[in-house]
Amino acid sequence: MRIVIAEDAVLLRAGLTRLLDEAGETVVAAVGDAPSLIEAVGRHQPDVAIVDVRMPPCLIDDGLRAAIEIRRRWPAVGLLVLSQYVEETYASELLAAGTERTGYLLKDRVAEVGEFVDAVRRVAAGGTALDPEVVAQILARSRQRDPLEGLSGREREVLALMAEGRSNQAIAKNLVVSEGAVEKHVTSIMTKLDLLPDEADHRRVLAVLRWLQR
């Protein structure tokens, strides 16, 4: 199994590399920032990439964004994301496209060497490795009040057409309203679904996913 590790903490990166080497696996690259991760995956085409959520350059969600980019460009590469805490939004976004070749573990699990190595191998083989705490929190969140209940009738019509892949222009034509009116409805939908502006690249997709999961 060929592995790329992306972790900005030097000691943890070295520890992961040694742990996997001792388990008989091959670490082809170990990097400390998101751009280097994408470059390494493109160069080595590994079986799996182990990715920290918060990495340089911004130390916010750069690792996750890189993982999503990797999934788009190299879908055969398994992704095992590591996080210090359960970040529901990040976990949900990573899993939105499916759970094959995908894992999300808390860093505490790394200390359980056997379980961690098994998780890496499972993801590389096309399976799923989700931390029990991650699953519990996602399920708890899903049991909360349905955010779609707050949408108006017109907003539901707009979201339903978005789910069909319609552009704002096509939605406006279908509903016989102006494109500006559609844009206002879309903005309202994003607000009511609590999809923040800094998720602009993915907000439309996330909104549609929530509609389809109703």
Side-chain angles (χ1 to χ4, degrees):
M1 182 170 59
R2 303 169 70 252
I3 303 167
V4 166
I5 296 173
E7 167 60 58
D8 64 314
V10 176
L11 290 179
L12 181 54
R13 186 166 71 242
L16 289 172
T17 300
R18 180 175 178 180
L19 183 158
L20 291 165
D21 283 343
E22 291 178 350
E25 308 299 348
T26 302
V27 176
V28 295
V31 300
D33 60 74
S36 297
L37 165 62
I38 293 177
E39 181 182 353
V41 170
R43 182 187 313 118
H44 297 287
Q45 301 286 303
D47 298 296
V48 62
I50 300 173
V51 184
D52 184 15
V53 167
R54 298 178 184 272
M55 297 179 63
C58 298
L59 290 171
I60 300 175
D61 59 357
D62 303 74
L64 177 75
R65 299 300 173 194
I68 292 172
E69 175 68 10
I70 289 167
R71 177 54 45 87
R72 184 184 68 81
R73 294 171 63 179
W74 302 287
V77 175
L79 293 169
L80 178 57
V81 172
L82 300 179
S83 180
Q84 191 69 40
Y85 310 101
V86 178
E87 316 232 24
E88 295 171 24
T89 300
Y90 297 158
S92 298
E93 188 169 350
L94 178 67
L95 298 170
T99 58
E100 288 187 7
R101 297 180 301 281
T102 304
Y104 190 110
L105 297 179
L106 297 182
K107 288 187 176 180
D108 288 347
R109 301 294 178 189
V110 177
E112 301 169 6
V113 176
E115 292 184 16
F116 176 70
V117 173
D118 285 345
V120 175
R121 289 170 175 164
R122 189 158 63 251
V123 170
T128 303
L130 295 179
D131 194 290
E133 185 64 22
V134 173
V135 175
Q137 292 203 28
I138 290 178
L139 287 176
R141 185 178 184 181
S142 69
R143 294 190 188 104
Q144 296 173 357
R145 184 184 65 82
D146 182 2
L148 296 179
E149 292 179 359
L151 300 184
S152 68
R154 178 62 85 183
E155 288 165 353
R156 284 175 170 269
E157 290 178 332
V158 170
L159 186 51
L161 290 169
M162 286 168 58
E164 294 177 8
R166 308 286 187 91
S167 66
N168 285 0
Q169 183 177 17
I171 293 172
K173 183 176 180 180
N174 184 282
L175 297 178
V176 195
V177 297
S178 69
E179 192 170 346
V182 172
E183 291 174 358
K184 289 180 180 179
H185 286 310
V186 171
T187 298
S188 179
I189 289 169
M190 299 304 175
T191 300
K192 290 181 178 180
L193 295 184
D194 197 27
L195 297 174
L196 304 178
D198 61 358
E199 296 172 330
D201 291 340
H202 304 281
R203 289 197 301 167
R204 198 174 182 98
V205 173
L206 292 173
V208 166
L209 285 171
R210 294 187 185 182
W211 174 259
L212 295 175
Q213 290 168 356
R214 71 194 190 282

